[in-house]
Amino acid sequence: MKLLVEKIKLALQKRTGSAQQKKNHASWVAKGYRKEPKVTFVLQSHDKSLQICHVLPKLRQYDNAEIIVIDDGSKVEHTMRLAAALIGANEFLLRANDLFENVTYDKAIRLANGQYIALMQDDDDFEGVGWVEKAVDLFRRHPRMAILGGKGGLDIAFEPDKMWAHGGASQSQGDFCFVTAVNRAPMWINKELYTQHLHHIDFRFAPFQFDDYELCARTWLSGLQVGWYDAGFQSLTAGGMRLWNNDFTKEQTLLNGRLLYQLYADKQDEIRRLVSESNQQ
């Protein structure tokens, strides 16, 4: 019945011209939409709208950017707060039904128009946009670098007796270096190289855990590079995986640790050779 009433009301408005029509091309232009932003910030969030609202003004300090917030299965009050906060023409809310990082980051990357994409978490905090400017500069200096991590540069540890893999010892050194793998966040992506050579986040690792390591391993074997720098992030709160999904994370670690081993254990020497040669150039 409500749908029928609405249909009749809209039909009358259309026929009489009584509906308010304030939109025009000038009003659209005034919104200031950027078709080709330099950077896209992608923030994954679950019930942490206050934390997202805390960093939004900081992200807006980098003018040539767009912002995509993934609201992944949050309670309605968090969704409403995010919808009210994202007021810019280049600010978007991507709602998902508790699908976790693998699927939602992949969807957001496809949506992003930025030349460089920063995958972030809802507990990330930082001061200023120096970490953004530094990342953009590093991409310019290293045209084959498809991924740049700002948290930690790691090896991938393969354990033949257990037939599984996980993050190994830190490879981070100096202000910047090439590394075997990085984890989130931030995890920067060169959109053009990603689209041409990597195409997607591996859905076999869904819903989460070690898909970032897999992407890094695939990057090296595709003739591209993975770098690390210190973005200087701090944590606002406990990360969502530890806060909401401790047992689930353990389960995913076992499943995907075995899968990572199966896919790349026989390629570890080749990847480490490529990392070493890149650091020597």
Side-chain angles (χ1 to χ4, degrees), residues 240-259:
M241 293 306 169
R242 293 188 298 275
L243 187 62
W244 315 115
N245 303 291
N246 199 28
D247 290 339
F248 195 6
T249 299
K250 294 177 182 178
E251 180 183 7
Q252 284 300 114
T253 297
L254 291 174
L255 288 172
N256 289 348
R258 295 190 184 101
L259 178 57

Side-chain angles (χ1 to χ4, degrees), residues 81-240:
R81 183 179 290 119
L82 291 172
L86 295 166
I87 57 176
N90 284 76
E91 298 179 4
F92 306 92
L93 183 62
L94 181 60
R95 172 72 181 180
N97 191 16
D98 214 14
L99 295 178
F100 293 87
E101 297 173 352
N102 181 294
V103 174
T104 56
Y105 275 140
D106 184 85
K107 292 289 185 183
I109 291 170
R110 296 171 194 270
L111 179 65
N113 283 339
Q115 184 177 354
Y116 307 112
I117 304 170
L119 303 182
M120 302 170 62
Q121 305 273 322
D122 55 15
D123 60 327
D124 293 334
D125 196 15
F126 49 87
E127 295 299 329
V129 292
W131 64 278
V132 182
E133 295 166 347
K134 186 174 181 180
V136 171
D137 181 62
L138 286 168
F139 276 116
R140 288 173 181 156
R141 289 162 49 191
H142 303 284
R144 288 176 49 231
M145 185 170 67
I147 295 177
L148 174 65
K151 181 180 180 180
L154 301 169
D155 193 9
I156 300 177
F158 295 94
E159 300 189 25
D161 55 331
K162 297 180 181 179
M163 295 188 65
W164 78 308
H166 58 92
S170 174
Q171 293 181 320
S172 307
Q173 50 186 309
D175 296 326
F176 167 83
C177 63
F178 292 107
V179 294
T180 302
V182 294
N183 55 16
R184 307 177 188 108
M187 183 180 189
W188 287 91
I189 291 175
N190 180 315
K191 178 69 180 288
E192 182 177 5
L193 294 179
Y194 178 92
T195 302
Q196 291 180 356
H197 301 278
L198 302 173
H199 310 300
H200 61 86
I201 296 175
D202 194 330
F203 290 138
R204 288 175 292 181
F205 288 79
F208 65 93
Q209 199 70 353
F210 297 155
D211 55 278
D212 44 5
Y213 295 157
E214 189 284 329
L215 184 61
C216 291
R218 183 154 38 100
T219 296
W220 283 111
L221 295 173
S222 298
L224 304 173
Q225 296 171 316
V226 177
W228 165 86
Y229 80 118
D230 184 1
F233 273 27
Q234 303 91 37
S235 180
L236 281 168
T237 61

